[in-house]
Amino acid sequence: MPAVVVFIIFVICLVIAIPVSISLGIVSVLPGAFDASFTAGGTYVIRSMLGGLDSFPLLAVPMFVLSGIIMARGGISRKLFDVFAFFMGKRTAGMPCAVIVTCLFYGAISGSAPATVAAVGSMTIPILTEMGCDKTFSTAVVAVAGGLGVIIPPSIPFIMYGMASGASVSDLFLAGIIPGLLISALLMFYAVYYCKKNGENQEKKQKMVGVLHEKGLLHVLKDSFFALLSPVIILGCIYSGVASPTEAAVISVFYALAVSMIVYRSITVKDIWAIMVEAIRTYTPILFILAASVAFSRVLTLMQVPQAVSAWILEHFTSPVLLLLVINVFLLLVGMVMDTTPAILILTPILLPIVSEIGVNPVHFGVIMVVNLAIGFVTPPIGVNLFVAGSLTELPIMEIAKKAMPMIVYFLAALLVITFVPAVSLALL
C-alpha cells in the first residue's frame, strides 16, 4: 500500500472524529492487511505497541502528571502568584506579568501546558477580572502563557522527543530554559503595551496589592517558600547528578504530597484516591496514543517513508534557511490539528534526518519542534489551552483566540530567533 494512501486514510479517520489513538492503530495495520508480503502484520504492530511502552524514561510522564495534579489540588499555584504579585503588582501590567511568571514557574513543576492553564487560570483569571482587566484578555494571557509549561523544564514533550530521537532528556531540559525565558519576556512586553494602551484600574490594583504588602515580605516569602523550592529541587536533582529525570519525577510526587499535606495542609488522606483517579484518567489516553504512535512510526520506517521524504525535501529545498522555514510552517500546521504526543512521535523519525543533513543539532531541533507545537496549543481548531481556558470563563473559543493573536505573533518572533540562532537553545549545554 502506498504511503500517500496510508496518510490520506489517517486524515480521513481524524476528520470523521475517530480518536487519534484508534486512527493510528488502523493505519498501522492496513499495509500488512493489504500486502501479505509486508513485514509489519498485526502481530508485529501489537509487539511494537507493547515494546514502545517498555521504556524507563517514559515513566517520568505519569509521575509529572500526578505531581502536577497534586500541586494544583494543593493550591501551590496561588502561593507562587502571591510572591510574584507582591514584587510586580504595583508596576504597569504588574498583575498580568505576575500571571505570566507564575505560568513559567508552574510549568517548571507540572511539565504540561493544559495543566498549567487549569491550575493558574482558575485562580488568576477571577483576580484579574476583579481588578478591572478585560476578561477576554485575562483568559488569553493565561492560555498563551500556559504554553510555557511544555518549554520550561521539566517538559513532557521533551521526554517524548528524547524517546523518539535518542537525544538526552537532560540536555533537552537545559536547552528549553533560555527559549522559555525569552518567550515569557516577550509576552510581558506585550502585556505592558496592552495595559498602557487600554489603561488599568489603579484603585482596584493598589487595593489588591496592598493586601499582600500588609502581610509583609517575610510572611509572603515564608508562605511561598516551599512552592518556589519545587522547581529547584526537581531540576537540582537532575543536574547535580543525584537523580535521572524519571527519578526526579518520582521525587516531585513525594515532595508535592509532603508540601500539600504537611506544610500547607490543603490535601488530606481522603483526597489522595480522587487525585490518583484523575491522574490515571489524564495519563491513560496519552499512553494509548503513545503505543499506537510508536507502532505507526515503525511501520513508516519499514515502508521507508522517512528516507523518501528526506530525499524529496533535500532535492527540492537546497537552502538551509528556506528548509527550516518550510519545516516550521509544516509543524505549525500540524500543531493546529494534532496533539503534541503523536505529532512528536510520528514526525521526529521523518524530520530529524532531514535537519541533520544541514547540520542542525538534534537537541536544537527538539526545542524548535516543541516551541512550534506549543503555539498549536493556542491556535484553533484543536487549541487545547483555548478550550481549557474557555471552560474556566465560559467565553467563546474564537473570541479568546482573537485576543491571543498579538501574543501568538510574539511567540512566532521568538520561534524565528530560536530557529536561526542555535546559541539561544544550546548556550547552557
Side-chain angles (χ1 to χ4, degrees):
M1 177 179 282
V4 175
V5 176
V6 172
F7 278 103
I8 289 171
I9 293 171
F10 178 57
V11 171
I12 290 170
C13 288
L14 294 179
V15 168
I16 61 177
I18 295 176
V20 174
S21 52
I22 296 173
S23 301
L24 287 167
I26 290 169
V27 293
S28 298
V29 172
L30 282 179
F34 281 89
D35 183 1
S37 64
F38 187 65
T39 311
T43 307
Y44 176 88
V45 170
I46 292 169
R47 276 206 313 267
S48 297
M49 291 175 77
L50 294 174
L53 300 178
D54 185 16
S55 166
F56 180 70
L58 188 61
L59 286 173
V61 178
M63 292 298 103
F64 280 128
V65 168
L66 177 58
S67 172
I69 291 170
I70 293 169
M71 291 183 182
R73 292 285 189 96
I76 286 177
S77 57
R78 179 61 197 243
K79 309 293 182 185
L80 290 171
F81 178 73
D82 282 352
V83 73
F84 299 131
F86 183 93
F87 289 107
M88 305 171 74
K90 288 188 175 181
R91 301 175 184 275
T92 303
M95 288 306 220
C97 287
V99 170
I100 293 166
V101 179
T102 304
C103 287
L104 186 75
F105 263 74
Y106 195 83
I109 297 170
S110 71
S112 165
T116 302
V117 173
V120 178
S122 59
M123 176 267 302
T124 59
I125 292 172
I127 292 173
L128 292 178
T129 307
E130 189 182 329
M131 281 174 42
C133 286
D134 178 57
K135 190 176 183 180
T136 312
F137 170 72
S138 304
T139 308
V141 166
V142 173
V144 177
L148 295 167
V150 297
I151 300 168
I152 287 291
S155 159
I156 291 172
F158 278 149
I159 296 169
M160 296 297 184
Y161 177 82
M163 179 184 166
S165 67
S168 164
V169 174
S170 297
D171 285 352
L172 287 163
F173 282 1
L174 268 180
I177 294 174
I178 296 177
L181 293 174
L182 171 65
I183 294 164
S184 60
L186 289 174
L187 293 179
M188 285 190 277
F189 177 81
Y190 174 74
V192 171
Y193 164 77
Y194 179 90
C195 289
K196 278 187 175 179
K197 181 183 176 185
N198 295 280
E200 295 179 281
N201 189 320
Q202 293 295 333
E203 186 181 337
K204 288 184 177 179
K205 184 173 79 169
Q206 296 299 334
K207 182 181 177 182
M208 194 159 290
V209 178
V211 172
L212 288 174
H213 280 264
E214 282 175 13
K215 292 181 180 179
L217 176 60
L218 287 177
H219 184 278
V220 172
L221 284 176
K222 182 184 173 184
D223 209 26
S224 308
F225 177 74
F226 288 98
L228 290 168
L229 203 59
S230 302
V232 177
I233 288 175
I234 295 168
L235 299 178
C237 285
I238 295 171
Y239 296 114
S240 64
V242 171
S244 68
T246 302
E247 291 160 346
V250 177
I251 291 169
S252 76
V253 171
F254 284 100
Y255 180 79
L257 271 174
V259 170
S260 299
M261 294 181 71
I262 299 169
V263 179
Y264 296 136
R265 298 182 181 179
S266 48
I267 288 177
T268 63
V269 175
K270 291 180 182 178
D271 297 322
I272 292 177
W273 177 256
I275 289 170
M276 297 292 285
V277 169
E278 185 180 345
I280 291 168
R281 284 179 174 167
T282 303
Y283 178 61
T284 304
I286 298 174
L287 192 70
F288 196 7
I289 290 171
L290 177 66
S293 298
V294 170
F296 186 48
S297 65
R298 290 183 182 177
V299 169
L300 290 179
T301 302
L302 288 172
M303 295 174 73
Q304 296 189 323
V305 172
Q307 296 91 323
V309 171
S310 176
W312 186 88
I313 289 178
L314 290 170
E315 183 184 338
H316 289 81
F317 298 98
T318 53
S319 165
V321 173
L322 182 59
L323 178 59
L324 285 171
L325 286 173
V326 168
I327 288 174
N328 272 323
V329 171
F330 174 66
L331 288 172
L332 285 169
L333 293 173
V334 168
M336 290 181 185
V337 296
M338 189 183 288
D339 193 40
T340 310
T341 299
I344 290 172
L345 294 172
I346 293 168
L347 296 177
T348 299
I350 296 173
L351 297 177
L352 186 57
I354 298 171
V355 296
S356 296
E357 285 287 328
I358 59 170
V360 176
N361 185 296
V363 173
H364 177 212
F365 182 65
V367 177
I368 293 171
M369 177 176 268
V370 170
V371 171
N372 269 291
L373 297 174
I375 295 171
F377 278 117
V378 283
T379 47
I382 301 296
V384 179
N385 283 13
L386 294 177
F387 283 95
V388 174
S391 69
L392 297 174
T393 56
E394 298 181 353
L395 290 170
I397 300 303
M398 290 311 296
E399 194 176 314
I400 302 169
K402 285 178 185 176
K403 211 72 172 181
M405 276 311 297
M407 286 177 274
I408 294 171
V409 171
Y410 280 88
F411 224 121
L412 289 169
L415 172 62
L416 288 175
V417 174
I418 292 162
T419 301
F420 295 109
V421 185
V424 172
S425 302
L426 306 177
L428 298 178
L429 299 186

